[in-house]
Amino acid sequence: TEQFQSNIINHPENDGLIMGTTSLQNMVRTVNGGDFPQNQERLEEIIRYLDEDPDPRFDKILLSEDKMVVNISYETDTMDEQAKATELIRNEITRFNDQQDTLLMLYQGDPAVSGMPVVFSDISSSIKPDLVSSILLAVVLVFISMALVFKSLALGLIGSIPVVITLILELAILSVMHIPMNVMNMLVSSIAIGVGVDFTIHIMHRFREEWIQWERSPEQSVAVTLQSTGKGMFSAAITTIGAFAII
């Protein structure tokens, strides 16, 4: 395992993501003063000592039900970095297994990598493409719904513009602040679409009522809508912003 650990830490694509590795072999050497025991009795004595030691690192690495061989710790700031570190570890395990056959770190033929960071990385990688497709589909459905409700393709397009502008502004802010797109801010995009559609429907409905039913000019209809329904929508928006700020 020492060669595997060295390969992981010194990998050219590591970029400081993987901070350290620990194995049972490392711990045995540490307890034995830096050298590996030369006889079976001494090795068994060290294993018993480690098994009784309260240090949580030993609990993770000793041969238990999950049979962990090497404990790898890495520190990432984004989901993309987490996915990169996980992929690096999996590739190195595959290469390590191809070079020797005494210690195969495989589970059902795949690199045996586990832990919550790996689970989160896999979940993020699997649902991220679906979230992008869902957001795009939601925008299209907003347009279709608006066009059907107001019986006008033009009003449907106009009603979809605020949602599109919101998504563009979100992406622009993320880009300026150097925040990568991940599952969490994609979920915020989905929420923004749902909240924005409600406000748009109220405003568009009142505008259409003033324009068609009361036969006002478009300019007058906009002014009346903003003075009446607009105030209520502004208050609702402030309340919604406050609620999300608390969360």
Side-chain angles (χ1 to χ4, degrees):
T1 62
E2 290 183 340
Q3 183 60 48
F4 169 74
Q5 292 171 254
S6 176
N7 292 343
I8 286 286
I9 295 296
N10 299 317
H11 197 284
E13 297 181 7
N14 185 2
D15 294 332
L17 297 177
I18 299 174
M19 309 301 293
T21 63
T22 307
S23 69
L24 181 59
Q25 186 176 5
N26 296 145
M27 294 181 177
V28 169
R29 285 183 179 274
T30 300
V31 174
N32 200 48
D35 298 323
F36 200 80
Q38 298 301 315
N39 57 76
Q40 185 69 21
E41 292 181 1
R42 176 57 179 165
L43 177 60
E44 293 177 354
E45 179 184 349
I46 293 175
I47 294 296
R48 286 194 298 270
Y49 167 78
L50 292 175
D51 197 18
E52 296 171 357
D53 195 288
D55 193 323
R57 294 177 303 168
F58 299 160
D59 292 336
K60 292 180 180 179
I61 205 67
L62 288 178
L63 297 179
S64 56
E65 292 182 358
D66 56 4
K67 296 180 174 60
M68 182 179 292
V69 177
V70 180
N71 181 34
I72 301 173
S73 60
Y74 55 89
E75 183 176 346
T76 58
D77 295 325
T78 66
M79 289 289 189
D80 290 339
E81 289 183 351
Q82 195 172 83
K84 179 181 178 181
T86 301
E87 187 65 20
L88 188 155
I89 295 170
R90 284 192 169 122
N91 291 339
E92 193 57 37
I93 288 177
T94 300
R95 192 168 72 89
F96 178 76
N97 288 330
D98 291 339
Q99 294 175 348
Q100 52 82 49
D101 56 5
T102 57
L103 179 61
L104 297 180
M105 292 184 285
L106 297 175
Y107 178 74
Q108 295 183 351
D110 296 323
V113 184
S114 63
M116 292 310 297
V118 176
V119 173
F120 288 143
S121 176
D122 288 346
I123 291 175
S124 175
S125 299
S126 63
I127 68 177
K128 189 174 180 179
D130 293 335
L131 279 176
V132 173
S133 302
S134 298
I135 291 174
L136 295 176
L137 178 60
V139 173
V140 174
L141 292 177
V142 165
F143 164 71
I144 295 175
S145 300
M146 291 283 191
L148 291 175
V149 168
F150 297 112
K151 299 178 181 179
S152 169
L153 291 176
L155 291 179
L157 180 60
I158 294 172
S160 303
I161 290 176
V163 174
V164 175
I165 291 177
T166 300
L167 295 177
I168 293 174
L169 286 175
E170 181 189 2
L171 294 175
I173 292 173
L174 291 175
S175 177
V176 170
M177 298 182 67
H178 303 289
I179 300 175
M181 180 64 72
N182 55 41
V183 174
M184 296 308 297
N185 48 45
M186 283 185 179
L187 291 176
V188 171
S189 300
S190 303
I191 295 173
I193 292 175
V195 173
V197 167
D198 293 342
F199 293 161
T200 302
I201 290 176
H202 287 299
I203 294 293
M204 292 291 295
H205 187 272
R206 183 57 186 270
F207 170 79
R208 188 168 181 271
E209 180 181 309
E210 296 294 333
W211 182 28
I212 297 178
Q213 184 173 341
W214 298 104
E215 298 181 349
R216 301 181 191 274
S217 67
E219 294 79 6
Q220 291 175 328
S221 299
V222 170
V224 172
T225 299
L226 294 178
Q227 291 173 2
S228 55
T229 306
K231 293 180 179 179
M233 293 297 96
F234 180 77
S235 300
I238 294 298
T239 303
T240 303
I241 292 172
F244 277 102
I246 293 174
I247 295 175

